[in-house]
Amino acid sequence: QEARKNWALLVRGYPRGALPWLKAMYYMIKTEEALGKKDLARRYLKSTLLLYPDLGEPELKAKYEKLAERLAK
């Protein structure tokens, strides 16, 4: 629960779509998944991929793709 709050604070603190925001959002989605909130994680992931398809950098894009594969199951 504490991790969720911390990642949410970081997400709110960065400009949407900026690389630090995309990284914080990635970890927030992973945290939701770890807490068993897979539906919420999927919604966050879907909106992030829709609005920011380039995901800032290749390494981060690869992480998002692996996360999307896991959440698709």
Side-chain angles (χ1 to χ4, degrees), residues 7-47:
W7 287 120
L9 281 173
L10 285 172
V11 166
R12 285 194 297 267
Y14 292 117
R16 287 180 165 253
L19 186 58
W21 184 89
L22 291 166
K23 288 180 178 181
M25 186 58 125
Y26 169 79
Y27 287 107
M28 190 168 90
I29 295 167
K30 279 188 64 167
T31 300
E32 296 297 352
E33 176 192 26
L35 292 172
K37 306 280 186 175
K38 289 190 177 186
D39 288 338
L40 182 58
R42 287 183 190 106
R43 285 197 310 261
Y44 286 156
L45 179 63
K46 183 179 178 180
S47 63

Side-chain angles (χ1 to χ4, degrees), residues 53-69:
D54 66 344
L55 298 170
E57 63 185 16
E59 182 181 318
L60 186 58
K61 187 172 186 168
K63 288 181 178 183
Y64 267 99
E65 288 170 353
K66 285 182 183 180
L67 182 58
E69 288 174 18

